[in-house]
Amino acid sequence: MKILVFGKLGQVGQELGACLKKYEDTEIIYADRKVANLEHPDQCAEVIYLNSPDLIINTAAYTNVEKAEDEEGLANTINGHSPAAMAEAAKHIKCPFVHLSTDYVFDGYEKGPKSEDLAVNPLNAYGRSKLLGEVGIVKSNCIFLILRTSWVFSSYGNNFVKNILNASKDNKTLKVVCDQIGGPTSAKSIAKTIVAISYKLLDDSSLKGIYHFSGIPDVSWSSFAEAIFQDKDEIQVKKIKTSDYDSRVKRPLDSCLDCSKIEKNFGISRPLWKDDLKKVLKELRG
């Protein structure tokens, strides 16, 4: 089997590569920026036609939430138009397409876990760009599976765990938001889930659709930070409100996702993020 992967160098992309290495009967083709720059949707479609894969996985994205406010057009191209072009090409060659999306498609006004059929209403440019991609994929009518997740962390790239650890080197008191709630999710757990659902989707296209997947339990950013520093008494986490956080980006206050659909259809349960966090911290310590 031949799998074409977009997003090799991202958090999930790097973990995905490790997961797929275990499949000896599978050829993995990584579409990097040299052959498929997501700033050019036509290149994304072309690399699909050239390789004729059996499965397409897209974990690539524009993820700088703050910068997206100034570069919404670019974010729309990378997160919206390019995934839509991938989906159209996937439809043309009758190839299943698995795409990673985000909790930021919701406004977070409704309390409690959000199901896949809840009305979307992104609050910021990043969320709007990701929703644009979802809409394009669904409209393509290809065999798709959109996996929405939240608060991704790993030992790779740019994420909350690495950022706050770096901040603690210069400041022993860290101000962290306490009124935004969500499910931290490790890139490793996401990658394992993508592989599992992809192989099942290949066998049964009726499983297509939108699914939610996030770590358990749902917590605030400040509680997540406290877990990161639980063995470091010298670090103090000071809880602040979102209104006191210096950012021009509006973020959903409640990002809790209802993950019952993926458990029902694929038998995949929510991972314990504290267990995954221990592994990531160990990796970062070397």
Side-chain angles (χ1 to χ4, degrees):
M1 183 171 68
K2 186 188 296 184
I3 301 178
L4 179 63
V5 178
F6 292 87
K8 178 182 180 180
L9 299 180
Q11 293 188 77
V12 177
Q14 292 193 60
E15 294 288 3
L16 188 62
C19 291
L20 290 172
K21 283 182 181 178
K22 302 174 184 177
Y23 295 84
E24 296 179 356
D25 60 339
T26 300
E27 178 186 0
I28 313 300
I29 301 170
Y30 294 101
D32 59 22
R33 290 176 61 88
K34 294 179 181 178
V35 296
N37 188 331
L38 269 72
E39 294 181 27
H40 303 284
D42 57 324
Q43 291 184 11
C44 298
E46 186 63 24
V47 76
I48 290 173
Y49 291 130
L50 287 174
N51 287 282
S52 297
D54 301 298
L55 173 71
I56 303 163
I57 300 174
N58 178 41
T59 65
Y62 182 113
T63 57
N64 192 321
V65 178
E66 296 280 343
K67 202 172 181 180
E69 296 298 311
D70 295 320
E71 297 183 341
E72 188 162 3
L74 179 59
N76 284 342
T77 298
I78 294 173
N79 294 343
H81 304 312
S82 284
M86 295 176 198
E88 288 290 345
K91 169 68 181 307
H92 186 75
I93 66 172
K94 298 180 174 61
C95 174
F97 178 48
V98 177
H99 174 76
L100 191 62
S101 193
T102 176
D103 57 302
Y104 272 37
V105 297
F106 296 113
D107 55 29
Y109 295 147
E110 181 168 319
K111 300 298 182 182
K114 288 142 195 66
S115 65
E116 290 82 354
D117 57 2
L118 180 69
V120 290
N121 182 37
L123 299 176
N124 53 55
Y126 168 70
R128 289 190 292 271
S129 71
K130 292 297 287 184
L131 178 58
L132 183 64
E134 288 192 9
V135 171
I137 292 167
V138 173
K139 280 187 176 180
S140 75
N141 201 32
C142 69
I143 301 171
F144 72 89
L145 196 151
I146 295 171
L147 186 69
R148 292 175 180 153
T149 191
S150 61
W151 297 20
V152 182
F153 68 93
S154 70
S155 58
Y156 304 112
N158 181 39
N159 61 75
F160 180 77
V161 173
K162 292 183 68 178
N163 290 341
I164 201 167
L165 284 172
N166 286 332
S168 70
K169 295 176 183 177
D170 301 320
N171 193 340
K172 302 308 178 186
T173 300
L174 303 169
K175 296 180 180 180
V176 185
V177 170
C178 65
D179 56 352
Q180 292 179 28
I181 309 297
T185 319
S186 76
K188 189 182 297 293
S189 286
I190 296 170
K192 289 179 179 178
T193 295
I194 287 176
V195 172
I197 62 179
S198 294
Y199 276 85
K200 289 190 177 181
L201 182 64
L202 282 164
D203 291 334
D204 185 358
S205 62
S206 69
L207 293 170
K208 64 180 281 190
I210 299 175
Y211 290 85
H212 290 170
F213 177 74
S214 65
I216 193 171
D218 294 312
V219 292
S220 65
W221 283 114
S222 58
S223 293
F224 189 23
E226 288 172 341
I228 295 169
F229 296 112
Q230 65 176 351
D231 296 327
K232 296 186 177 183
D233 296 335
E234 72 276 14
I235 305 297
Q236 300 297 316
V237 175
K238 182 178 180 181
K239 299 179 181 180
I240 63 171
K241 298 288 187 180
T242 297
S243 56
D244 297 322
Y245 179 63
D246 184 20
S247 175
R248 57 186 173 144
V249 180
K250 289 191 68 176
R251 291 172 168 82
L253 292 180
D254 191 322
S255 285
C256 301
L257 298 176
D258 181 347
C259 304
S260 58
K261 181 181 175 183
I262 198 169
E263 182 165 15
K264 177 183 177 182
N265 289 4
F266 290 95
I268 296 175
S269 301
R270 297 179 68 183
L272 295 168
W273 61 260
K274 286 186 178 180
D275 290 346
D276 287 344
L277 176 61
K278 291 178 182 177
K279 297 174 184 176
V280 167
L281 293 175
K282 184 177 180 180
E283 289 173 4
L284 290 172
R285 286 193 296 265

